[in-house]
Amino acid sequence: MQADIEEILVSAEAIKNRVRELGAAISRDYEGKNLLVVGILKGAIIFLADLVREIKIPLILDFMAVSSYGSSTRTSGAVRILKDLECPVEDKHLLIVEDIVDTGLTLKYLVDNLKARHPLSLKTCTILDKPSRRLVEVQLDYCGFTIPDYFVVGYGLDYAQQYRHLPDICVLKRDIYTNGQ
Ligand code: 5GP
């Protein structure tokens, strides 16, 4: 496992500190509001689990799963809903929690789709932002770290469903994902 990693980009310690700050900001901003946190499966689950434990106000959790068509390291922009929300949203303030925003196509799709259901408000939260590859504009209301154009794994992020359990955010060795494609 360690042999597949080029470098640690964001350490577990740095993640922990930043997630605490994000949780504090969200707790302040949503005080007294009916908050629905929408986790995007599967990549956001580790971040989501840490983040909600740093949010000190009442909230409910729901999940969506989407698949982006394209190769294993690049999105095509076409998004399909694999699992939809179970809760109604009209009486709630929605916060979408994502793992990483790269081209922005996935998050833009989710924002447009959820806005059309008329929640009281809609904001976005991501642990990672890779702005250098953005194709569409999308507002990030809460962001953990801005990173360069590396393919990263760990802290929920996968390559071929592997590496999600690594506690740090790591740069994967290029030959791991260029071999066999
Ligand atoms: P976007 O639609 O913004 O291009 O891509 C969003 C999705 O692409 C993320 O939710 C994630 O699944 C995947 N993705 C983009 N960049 C990376 C990366 O560096 N590492 C991993 N593991 N997935 C990525």
Side-chain angles (χ1 to χ4, degrees):
M1 183 76 38
Q2 219 51 47
D4 299 351
I5 300 306
E6 186 71 44
E7 61 169 313
I8 291 178
L9 194 62
V10 189
S11 70
E13 188 62 28
I15 296 170
K16 192 174 170 199
N17 293 333
R18 186 70 185 117
V19 170
R20 188 171 298 141
E21 291 173 356
L22 292 174
I26 292 166
S27 305
R28 271 195 310 274
D29 295 351
Y30 286 91
E31 180 80 60
K33 291 184 174 164
N34 200 6
L35 174 60
L36 169 60
V37 176
V38 178
I40 308 304
L41 300 172
K42 301 175 189 166
I45 57 155
I46 310 266
F47 173 41
L48 181 83
D50 285 347
L51 180 69
V52 293
R53 285 177 293 175
E54 296 293 344
I55 299 178
K56 309 299 181 190
I57 55 166
L59 61 84
I60 58 173
L61 274 179
D62 204 348
F63 296 92
M64 285 181 80
V66 293
S67 85
S68 312
Y69 295 98
S71 76
S72 47
T73 60
R74 296 288 185 232
T75 320
S76 71
V79 178
R80 188 163 54 111
I81 295 181
L82 302 177
K83 187 217 170 295
D84 208 343
L85 293 181
E86 288 168 16
C87 306
V89 303
E90 295 85 356
D91 58 341
K92 299 191 184 68
H93 293 272
L94 262 58
L95 180 63
I96 302 176
V97 176
E98 254 289 25
D99 52 359
I100 186 166
V101 181
D102 184 18
T103 63
L105 292 164
T106 307
L107 188 58
K108 173 85 167 63
Y109 173 87
L110 287 165
V111 166
D112 290 347
N113 183 288
L114 289 173
K115 266 192 181 158
R117 306 183 198 189
H118 306 295
L120 294 175
S121 70
L122 178 59
K123 284 190 180 183
T124 60
C125 176
T126 183
I127 188 66
L128 295 174
D129 179 20
K130 221 162 37 170
S132 55
R133 297 194 351 108
R134 196 73 94 250
L135 294 178
V136 289
E137 211 176 300
V138 59
Q139 185 171 327
L140 303 182
D141 298 292
Y142 304 95
C143 174
F145 302 94
T146 300
I147 62 164
D149 184 15
Y150 293 130
F151 187 77
V152 291
V153 295
Y155 200 62
L157 289 147
D158 76 309
Y159 173 67
Q161 300 302 327
Q162 294 288 335
Y163 311 104
R164 291 192 197 274
H165 62 300
L166 300 181
D168 307 294
I169 293 167
C170 305
V171 178
L172 193 61
K173 282 192 177 154
R174 188 169 286 272
D175 59 316
I176 303 290
Y177 58 88
T178 47
N179 284 344
Q181 273 193 13

